[in-house]
Amino acid sequence: LVPHTDDDPATLSEGAAGEKFRLCTYNIFEGFESGNNERLHFFTDWAKDLQPDVIGLNEVNGFTQESLNELARQCGLPYAILRPAKTGFHLGVLSRHPLEAYDTDEVSLRMWHGLLHVRIVPDNGNAWHLLVTHLTPWEAAQRREEAQTLARYATSFWQDAPLFLVGDLNSLSPLDKIGHDHDQLAAEVLSQVPK
């Protein structure tokens, strides 16, 4: 699968076969803030309007497999898989196509919020792998270690079908520098103090 050239960045195409898939990732922020119906309705309306084939989810806090199945149903997607995380910031996948979950317990132990690995099996039989993760928010060095763990893990299976990685990678934008640069942040705070 390669990025499609339409104006829709969420659409992916399989090249010569011309089949299109919509793959999205969405951080639902602390499980829609535990009952924030406005956020939940926004998400389900968004998903119904976009009609994605697959949505990778981050921060599926407070969900069970049953409640994630219900969210999938509300979005018009018949399949869902939940991967509980030791931090409580669970991972999930909603899909229009059948899903096969892989055991990622060993890899998840080396990841801040874990790893969810599914194989998506569309009706045409052209399966593909999806990795959903949420890298550590705390240290760039630890994120690099997690990225290396993901790369090592992916090399064990990626040749049998296309692979996509989605999730909250907690990368830092230069536009957010003031929020991450302690010297600049201190200067900004001090500039706010009355003289």
Side-chain angles (χ1 to χ4, degrees):
L1 296 172
V2 295
H4 187 58
T5 56
D6 283 349
D7 292 344
D8 181 359
T11 301
L12 303 171
S13 170
E14 195 170 345
E19 300 169 53
K20 295 179 184 173
F21 292 90
R22 286 181 186 232
L23 169 61
C24 304
T25 186
Y26 204 106
N27 183 323
I28 64 172
F29 188 68
E30 298 183 2
F32 299 115
E33 297 177 297
S34 300
N36 182 330
N37 286 333
E38 184 178 332
R39 293 193 59 173
L40 173 64
H41 293 303
F42 175 84
F43 175 80
T44 56
D45 289 346
W46 170 83
K48 285 187 273 190
D49 287 346
L50 188 60
Q51 298 180 347
D53 288 276
V54 178
I55 305 173
L57 297 174
N58 292 106
E59 299 194 16
V60 192
N61 307 19
F63 277 74
T64 63
Q65 183 61 57
E66 293 75 28
S67 60
L68 191 62
N69 291 344
E70 175 58 22
L71 177 63
R73 188 194 64 70
Q74 290 175 23
C75 294
L77 300 168
Y79 301 97
I81 291 185
L82 178 71
R83 168 70 182 173
K86 63 187 178 219
T87 61
F89 286 78
H90 308 318
L91 305 169
V93 172
L94 309 180
S95 178
R96 188 167 313 288
H97 308 285
L99 300 168
E100 298 171 359
Y102 285 71
D103 179 358
T104 58
D105 287 348
E106 186 179 323
V107 177
S108 287
L109 291 172
R110 295 187 302 270
M111 308 289 296
W112 185 256
H113 296 301
L115 173 67
L116 172 59
H117 175 190
V118 297
R119 188 167 177 259
I120 292 124
V121 187
D123 292 339
N124 65 14
N126 293 332
W128 47 285
H129 295 277
L130 178 66
L131 302 179
V132 182
T133 194
H134 189 171
L135 300 183
T136 182
W138 307 117
E139 306 241 349
Q142 191 174 354
R143 281 191 296 279
R144 270 192 301 280
E145 287 177 23
E146 290 179 332
Q148 290 168 347
T149 297
L150 287 169
R152 282 190 300 274
Y153 176 74
T155 59
S156 67
F157 62 83
W158 73 270
Q159 287 122 349
D160 74 333
L163 164 69
F164 291 92
L165 169 68
V166 299
D168 186 338
L169 304 181
N170 275 312
S171 59
L172 302 178
S173 166
L175 300 175
D176 297 332
K177 185 173 174 44
I178 194 162
H180 304 289
D181 183 316
H182 295 291
D183 292 335
Q184 283 192 10
L185 183 58
E188 177 66 21
V189 169
L190 290 173
S191 74
Q192 306 287 327
V193 176
K195 297 183 180 178

